[in-house]
Every structure is written in C-alpha cells, then in structure tokens.
Amino acid sequence: MTTSQAQANDNKTTAHQKADFDAIVIGAGFAGMGLLHSLREAGLSVQVFDKASDIGGTWTWNRYPGARTDSESYYYCFTFSKEILQEWSWSERYPSWEETLDYMHFVADKCNLWPNIQLNTTFVSADYQADRGLWLVRTEAGEEYTCKYFISGMGMISEPVIPETEGMDSFKGPLFHSARWPEGTDYAGKRVGIIGAGATTVQLLPVLAETAAQVTVFHRTPNFILPAMQKPMTPEWEKEIKDNYDEIIAKCRNHVFGMAFDSPVNRTVADTPPEEVEAIFEEHWNGSFRWVFETFDDLLSNPEANRLASAFIVKKMKERIEDPEIAELLTPAPGEYPLFAKRPPLDHGYLEAYSRDNVKLVDIRDREPIVAIDETGVRTTENHYDFDIIILATGFRAYTGGLEAFPIRGQSGQSLREKWQTTSKSIMGVCVADFPNMFIVTGPQAPFANLPTSIEQNTQWITHCIKKMESEGFDVCTPKQDAEDAWTAHTAEIHEQTLMAEGDKVNSWMMGANIKHHKPRVLIYFGGANVYYDKMDESVEADFPELQFDKLA
Ligand code: NAP
C-alpha cells in the first residue's frame, strides 16, 4: 500500500472500513485500467492486481502470431479522454496484439496508472466478511489484502478450455493453449498441429503457414467466416475519425452490439424484393461485422433472412477455397445452424491458406476423430500425425471462467462456481445476489458487444454506485435476489426468441456449450447492448433499485 493510500484509509471514520484499499480490481486489461482511472478520479484508493507479467488482459495473454482485434481500431479503445483519442494514432483497420498492447501502455503512462497496478500476482481466494463489510483476498504468495469493493475486470474470455484428450502429457515437444503462447516460440521450419478451428485459428493459421514446414488443423464444426478486409489507416481516414469522435462514441453507445456502425438501416429482408437482397449483400461486402448490421435489420431475428445471409457467406467463402472437398468441410451446410449461433470469425487469409502445399485440414468430426496425443503427435482413428509443436486453440470458458477459477465466496460462504452450477445468474452482468460490495465488468448475462464500449458503460455504473455509497456513508450494498431473478428471467426470455438460442447444438461458447460436463445456459443478454446501456442509465437515475444499501452498526 502506498503512503497516500494508507493516509486516505486512516481518514475513514468507522473501524470496519479500515481496509488496505477502498477497491481491489482483479485484471489489468481494458476493464481494470478503466476502473482504476475512474475510481481514482472519484477519490478512492484502488489497487489492480493481475497474474500476468504485463498489463493488457486479453492482449497480453493472446500473443499468438496473427492475433488482432476484430473490432475496428478506432472504436476498440478507451473514450474517457478526448486528449488520448486525439493523440493516439492507429496504423491499421484492425490492430495487431502488439499495437493494441502499445496503446494500452500509452494509456497507462498517460494516466499514470502504473503505481496502482501489481502484476505477477495470482489470487487464490476472495471472501466476503459480513461482520466488517470487507473483502479479504489471498494471493498465491501468501499475501492478504482487504478492500471494501472487490471488482472483477477479468474479462469474459480469459479462462482457456483444455481438452481432456488422452496422453496429452506424453507429447515430447511444446504443447500449449493459444492464449498461453510461450514467448519466443520458434515455429519456422517446424511441423505444427492446431487442435480447434475457431476465431483464434482463423487468425493464427495464415501467419504460421508462411514459415512453418507444415501446419495441420484438426477441425470439427465449420464456421461462417467473414472477411476482415484489412487496410492501413490513411491520414485522410484518421482525420475524418478524429474530427468526428463524438459521433463515433455516440454510435457505439447506441448500437445493438456497441459498434460504430450505421445501423439500424430501417430495412429488412422480409420487406425487400428478393432480387434486391443479393445486390444489397454484395454492395456491403466490405469487411468486418458491419455486413451483418449494415445490410438488413432482421438477419439475426428472422430465420429466412438469416438463411439467405448464411447462404451468401458460404457462397463467398467457397469462391476463395480452391479444393471443393476442403470447401465442403470449412463451410456450414444449409440449415446446419443459424449465422451467429456461433460467433463468426473474421478472416485475414485463412481460407486461402488451405491452398498452400504445407497446410492440411483434418476432419475430426465425421472422418477421423482424435483418439489420443502421444510422444510424437496426434493419433486419430485413421492416421498418426507427427508434430514438433501442438497448439490447443480450443477456446475459453466464457463469461464465468475467470470468476470460477478460484473460490470467490459471498455472504453465505458459497462460491460463485457453486452458485453457478446450472445457471449463471446475475443482475445485468455486474452484480450477483449473495455477493455484497462485489462488482463484475461484463459478467454473465451482460450483452456480447464491442468490449471497450460495454466495459466503459459498466465502469460508469459501478463508479456511480460506489460514489453513492461513499457520499451517503453506506458500508454495504447488497444485490437483491428478486432483481437477480428478474434479470435472469428477462435475459432467458429474450434469448429464447433469438436464433442464437441454437448455439447449444454447435458447442457455442456463447452458451457455455463448449465446456464438457457443463450444462449449456443463457450467458448473454441479447436484447441489444444499447437497450442494456439504457437500462444501466435508468438504474443510476432510479438510485440503484437492484441494490439494498446499509450502514453497519
Ligand atoms: P472457439 O471459437 O471456441 O473455437 C474453439 C475451437 O476448438 C472450435 O473449433 C472447437 O470445435 C474446437 N475444440 C474445442 N474443444 C475441442 C476438442 N476437445 N477437440 C477438438 N476440437 C475442439 O475459440 P477461439 O477460437 O479461441 O475463439 C473464442 C472467442 O474468443 C472468439 O469467438 C472471440 O470472441 C474471441 N476471440 C477474439 C478474437 C478477436 O476479436 N480478435 C480473436 C480470437 C478469439 P467445435 O466448434 O466443434 O466445438
């Protein structure tokens, strides 16, 4: 604890408030950095902890070759400082992880965040102590810290899923998850196996294939893959962006997925003559998720519109894949599942990579499932594949993974993991009943959206709530059970009406259906990020009706 923080805490009036920090934030990515800035501005002592050796969250863990944002750079960023928005220059439409990390360092320097960030620190438990109204956290190194507010900024996609394949420990070469890429891994001239073919592999494969001797992708479910259409940031484009940042921020705030898109377009497939639909699809085929939102407003809600969009994407994908057999494997069959029941990846040369002599696709769903990993490679029912390196690009335990990775115990002593055995309930993804004075940024049942937008909206709500607590002298805010039940029911009702509800058929992480021994569930609020942000604002205006505020005796 710094001297100034200690002094700040000594000034607290009641004994139970004598904590090491007003707020502890776990995770030093966008959420942790944003919270640190916002809560410090509000006068709190804040300490951010992260088990990584650098800030950056997702962008420090996912250092695999080719990793880059799928949102366009100029709105995948903090918007709280106009100065930073003007000073920072992006080099590309979708920045690499290196550039994104440079940006985060720039923000940390600019806002002097470093003194309140402690890296290389793994929490092993967090317990709410009702008698003191404090949280007690313990670290792997045996340190203990107390705080009044315990906040998760661990992100919605942070905890890797490791398959239970037999013999994994026996492989002699490096074998690792894509989100734990060992620094300096030399894959040039090597035989590389990649298990999994989601958004990560779509980014990774084309880069690996440039120098690896051989890359083999073990593939199960095909994806609807949209082209990224990368392009450099030109001075003219940058000027246009920087001259219009208020509008861009407003677009994100008011968009169903928190993106700076020009939608809704007030046009639906249902109301458009069939011959015009294809022409509009074609005209907007300019890269990014824009295509889904700037063509028609009913692609994700009307099954027929979704079917037409899906068929268009598959047609476009097939145009770029040389081998018809590979094209069949890589593209979803008609009616297999709706577009967006699985999160579509953005492509920077993935489909073309399969035309290379050194790239091989193995269908482990229908033709030759993996049987085991052994000393030298991967054994399927039909073949043995020899590798020097094996990469598990097998995804994440989304939304709940970080929060369930170590015991976080609330008022009753029950952990989040125990509470979330069958449903991952929350209040707007930011609070959980039985967990007083705890907040989550983009927790379960929050929307799936451009993350910096949602993170900033959540940060504002949390900061408002804490400011209320402090200014009105409250010690404890308790999320109400009935508010949690109501949000969970509302989220489930909306989910049922969307085509994303079919995600459990295709192991979608958006429903936790990618996790073995785990019941698929409603993890995402699909009522529109903009509607959700409105609800958060209404909650602030109504003085947080979801929470009960108390003073300790
Ligand atoms: P993912 O989309 O969940 O894909 C995991 C892949 O591994 C799937 O192909 C899955 O097959 C396969 N798999 C899982 N377990 C397996 C097993 N036991 N045996 C064989 N195959 C297995 O994971 P991801 O590619 O890491 O992407 C996850 C999410 O992270 C993305 O959707 C995205 O939101 C985020 N992400 C973002 C970016 C970005 O924005 N730039 C980049 C990468 C990732 P099935 O489909 O058959 O289950």
Side-chain angles (χ1 to χ4, degrees):
M1 189 170 25
T2 63
T3 317
S4 60
Q5 281 158 351
Q7 280 164 355
N9 287 338
D10 281 348
N11 293 336
K12 301 283 184 198
T13 47
T14 50
H16 52 260
Q17 283 180 314
K18 280 207 169 174
D20 294 326
F21 305 102
D22 291 328
I24 283 181
V25 180
I26 173 167
F30 270 95
M33 290 171 61
L35 278 162
L36 172 53
H37 174 75
S38 175
L39 294 177
R40 230 175 38 181
E41 292 274 293
L44 274 80
S45 65
V46 188
Q47 189 75 354
V48 176
F49 294 86
D50 200 307
K51 65 181 173 184
S53 57
D54 197 355
I55 62 166
T58 284
W59 304 105
T60 212
W61 288 111
N62 287 272
R63 295 176 178 225
Y64 60 83
R68 57 181 67 250
T69 68
D70 277 354
S71 291
E72 291 152 309
S73 52
Y74 62 94
Y75 56 86
Y76 192 88
C77 56
F78 292 109
T79 64
F80 63 74
S81 160
K82 289 196 172 174
E83 200 180 317
I84 291 174
L85 287 172
Q86 292 301 321
E87 276 186 27
W88 180 261
S89 292
W90 296 104
S91 71
E92 294 181 296
R93 186 179 188 183
Y94 312 93
S96 64
W97 68 262
E98 293 96 328
E99 185 171 355
T100 310
L101 208 46
D102 283 350
Y103 163 77
M104 295 176 89
H105 276 247
F106 174 79
V107 175
D109 291 344
K110 186 92 188 156
C111 299
N112 191 29
L113 299 181
W114 297 105
N116 301 110
I117 297 176
Q118 180 174 324
L119 300 169
N120 300 303
T121 305
T122 302
F123 283 178
V124 292
S125 65
D127 288 273
Y128 180 66
Q129 304 188 311
D131 54 337
R132 299 204 293 160
L134 298 182
W135 280 87
L136 170 68
V137 297
R138 293 192 174 86
T139 73
E140 208 171 48
E143 297 154 324
E144 291 190 351
Y145 301 101
T146 53
C147 59
K148 182 170 175 185
Y149 306 106
F150 176 62
I151 313 177
S152 168
M154 286 188 280
M156 45 159 285
I157 301 184
S158 56
E159 198 60 25
V161 168
I162 307 294
E164 296 174 0
T165 312
E166 190 193 313
M168 205 131 66
D169 292 342
S170 63
F171 183 63
K172 291 292 184 213
L175 179 154
F176 49 86
H177 190 276
S178 51
R180 296 291 180 270
W181 190 271
E183 204 178 335
T185 299
D186 182 11
Y187 53 86
K190 304 268 170 66
R191 297 161 304 171
V192 185
I194 307 178
I195 299 179
T200 295
T201 298
V202 169
Q203 293 186 334
L204 176 63
L205 173 69
V207 183
L208 280 192
E210 278 173 22
T211 54
Q214 176 78 40
V215 189
T216 304
V217 177
F218 295 93
H219 175 275
R220 256 178 4 192
T221 312
N223 287 294
F224 292 105
I225 298 177
L226 294 161
M229 299 198 191
Q230 175 72 299
K231 57 182 178 183
M233 178 68 70
T234 59
E236 299 74 36
W237 190 21
E238 181 172 359
K239 181 172 183 330
E240 189 192 326
I241 289 165
K242 289 188 172 174
D243 286 349
N244 292 289
Y245 247 125
D246 287 346
E247 196 190 324
I248 289 166
I249 294 166
K251 271 189 191 174
C252 288
R253 164 62 181 79
N254 295 313
H255 188 259
V256 283
F257 274 64
M259 307 270 198
F261 292 169
D262 293 318
S263 61
V265 290
N266 299 318
R267 178 175 58 211
T268 60
V269 169
D271 292 335
T272 305
E275 62 279 10
E276 279 178 37
V277 170
E278 183 93 354
I280 291 168
F281 278 157
E282 192 67 59
E283 183 195 336
H284 289 268
W285 195 249
N286 300 317
S288 113
F289 299 121
R290 281 180 183 278
W291 183 84
V292 178
F293 299 97
E294 293 185 349
T295 48
F296 299 98
D297 296 333
D298 57 348
L299 297 191
L300 304 186
S301 54
N302 168 5
E304 177 58 10
N306 191 290
R307 188 188 68 73
L308 290 174
S310 303
F312 186 85
I313 295 172
V314 167
K315 182 185 87 172
K316 287 288 193 187
M317 285 175 68
K318 285 185 171 172
E319 285 169 9
R320 295 170 48 209
I321 308 167
E322 261 181 28
D323 181 332
E325 209 180 321
I326 292 179
E328 281 312 308
L329 288 175
L330 288 180
T331 50
E336 185 172 345
Y337 66 90
L339 169 66
F340 254 89
K342 261 173 123 61
R343 195 278 215 177
L346 283 199
D347 178 16
H348 296 257
Y350 176 74
L351 300 176
E352 287 81 1
Y354 286 99
S355 303
R356 300 178 67 114
D357 291 340
N358 67 336
V359 174
K360 188 174 174 55
L361 183 68
V362 178
D363 172 12
I364 55 169
R365 183 175 64 174
D366 299 326
R367 295 190 191 168
E368 44 177 314
I370 293 177
V371 176
I373 291 176
D374 59 25
E375 281 190 17
T376 55
V378 173
R379 185 153 47 83
T380 68
T381 50
E382 303 296 318
N383 289 294
H384 185 277
Y385 298 88
D386 287 339
F387 296 120
D388 303 305
I389 301 171
I390 296 177
I391 300 163
L392 309 173
T394 41
F396 299 86
R397 192 178 178 101
Y399 283 94
T400 62
L403 295 156
E404 294 176 332
F406 65 96
I408 298 175
R409 287 176 284 248
Q411 182 136 19
S412 68
Q414 188 185 44
S415 70
L416 282 173
R417 191 180 184 109
E418 288 160 349
K419 175 175 169 129
W420 287 341
Q421 294 255 329
T422 52
T423 34
S424 303
K425 291 175 152 198
S426 82
I427 301 173
M428 298 189 290
V430 281
C431 288
V432 180
D434 192 37
F435 292 78
N437 291 7
M438 184 189 87
F439 302 99
I440 306 170
V441 178
T442 64
Q445 301 183 341
F448 176 52
N450 179 44
L451 277 165
T453 309
S454 278
I455 286 168
E456 290 203 326
Q457 292 294 323
N458 279 183
T459 299
Q460 284 170 24
W461 188 89
I462 292 167
T463 305
H464 279 303
C465 182
I466 289 179
K467 274 185 177 171
K468 173 191 166 69
M469 292 275 292
E470 296 303 300
S471 65
E472 297 178 24
F474 288 113
D475 301 308
V476 181
C477 63
T478 306
K480 293 178 186 167
Q481 186 60 59
D482 59 352
E484 185 180 87
D485 293 341
W487 183 256
T488 300
H490 176 57
T491 305
E493 193 186 335
I494 289 172
H495 181 90
E496 277 314 304
Q497 293 162 19
T498 71
L499 296 170
M500 284 73 123
E502 296 192 36
D504 58 337
K505 291 185 198 155
V506 278
N507 318 325
S508 173
W509 61 256
M510 296 199 292
M511 291 185 67
N514 60 331
I515 303 164
K516 259 195 157 179
H517 322 299
H518 186 261
K519 195 170 161 264
R521 66 212 41 217
V522 178
L523 281 178
I524 298 179
Y525 174 78
F526 277 122
N530 51 340
V531 175
Y532 167 86
Y533 304 149
D534 288 346
K535 286 180 188 292
M536 300 222 91
D537 289 348
E538 284 160 20
S539 161
V540 175
E541 273 161 36
D543 220 16
F544 304 96
E546 309 82 4
L547 304 172
Q548 181 184 313
F549 295 92
D550 291 297
K551 296 180 184 181
L552 289 180

